[in-house]
Amino acid sequence: MLHGYCVRLAGQPGPSGVAGVGGAAVELLENDRLGIWFSRVEVEPASLTRLRDHEVVVRAALLSATPLPLRFGSVFSDEAELTAFLHDGDGLLEKFTRIGNRVEMGCRVSSIAAKSNAGQKSSGASPASGRAYLEGKREAMQLAASERESAAAILEEIERDLADIEAEVVREVDTSEGSIGSMAHLLRRRDVTLYRSRLLGTQQRRPDLRITATGPWAPYSFV
């Protein structure tokens, strides 16, 4: 079985000094337009260790040029299937046009106050009647909608602090367990330091939030 890691433009540096899933050698197969990094591996159950091995290879590719990352578990039966995958590469080339040599940066946001108050919303009392139960459900739905609206507004506020950085963004509101949500930004490599600086400024202005920058990553959220 051949385990795929990422797709690169033809002519870009190949794998060197990096081990793949289970310690397997990482190889390169190219045509005149594209190349793919892959390893020859035995069929084994997915595990956190193998997932980390996969990500190590993708991050190694990211050091020299932005790859199109393949999801963990992208497997091919033989080199003929790999060749066919690259041959039908018009859609892959369109993705390269979109991402260029940009990288993905992440931003996770949570509420410090919400974390400290976790578990205090429910009184544990049973509703006295069916009507009380329905009223309770309605109030819970209204509260959830209000929390999502507030979370979305916070993400928009953070986005305004990043307005001077040219970046495509994917936002996800998540109000579970004190979380507010996350954002992924596709930005120029030269803007990574500025991005982190902007988020640090927002964190200092909003001590009620926990804002965590992650990356740079291969652009999983944009391919």
Side-chain angles (χ1 to χ4, degrees):
M1 180 180 72
L2 305 183
H3 179 104
Y5 300 101
C6 60
V7 176
R8 308 254 287 185
L9 292 174
Q12 291 180 340
S16 176
V18 60
V21 170
V26 182
E27 303 178 43
L28 169 66
L29 185 146
E30 279 187 322
N31 61 22
D32 60 339
R33 302 189 300 172
L34 299 168
I36 184 170
W37 288 22
F38 72 98
S39 289
R40 305 173 194 273
V41 301
E42 298 296 328
V43 178
E44 293 184 18
S47 67
L48 182 58
T49 297
R50 290 169 71 86
L51 177 60
R52 286 173 175 164
D53 290 345
H54 176 93
E55 183 58 28
V56 164
V57 177
V58 175
R59 289 183 69 82
L62 182 65
L63 292 176
S64 56
T66 299
L68 294 181
L70 300 178
R71 298 290 180 183
F72 177 78
S74 298
V75 296
F76 304 84
S77 58
D78 52 31
E79 288 192 27
E81 190 173 352
L82 275 181
T83 300
F85 173 70
L86 293 182
H87 180 72
D88 188 25
D90 290 343
L92 298 175
L93 288 170
E94 289 177 5
K95 290 186 172 92
F96 274 113
T97 299
R98 176 187 178 191
I99 67 170
N101 198 31
R102 295 173 177 241
V103 295
E104 177 175 327
M105 291 294 293
C107 170
R108 294 196 301 267
V109 187
S110 59
S111 169
I112 293 176
K115 285 181 178 293
S116 64
N117 293 328
Q120 298 182 12
K121 291 182 179 179
S122 175
S123 65
S126 300
S129 66
R131 180 176 180 178
Y133 171 79
L134 292 175
E135 284 292 324
K137 293 289 287 185
R138 182 179 64 83
E139 291 175 3
M141 291 175 63
Q142 290 176 338
L143 177 60
S146 176
E147 288 178 343
R148 290 186 64 82
E149 184 177 341
S150 296
I154 289 172
L155 295 184
E156 289 174 4
E157 176 187 344
I158 296 172
E159 189 65 26
R160 286 194 293 272
D161 290 344
L162 301 168
D164 62 331
I165 302 175
E166 180 188 333
E168 189 174 341
V169 60
V170 174
R171 279 187 249 176
E172 181 179 356
V173 172
D174 175 15
T175 56
S176 62
E177 299 181 357
S179 176
I180 288 173
S182 62
M183 295 185 288
H185 291 88
L186 184 67
L187 67 156
R188 296 169 297 193
R189 289 173 182 252
R190 68 174 186 245
D191 288 333
V192 168
T193 300
L194 178 60
Y195 179 88
R196 289 177 174 144
S197 176
R198 287 286 184 275
L199 290 182
L200 179 60
T202 304
Q203 176 68 87
Q204 292 171 342
R205 182 172 56 81
R206 291 293 306 265
D208 57 314
L209 303 176
R210 179 173 287 109
I211 302 173
T212 305
T214 65
W217 311 106
Y220 283 102
S221 300
F222 301 90
V223 299

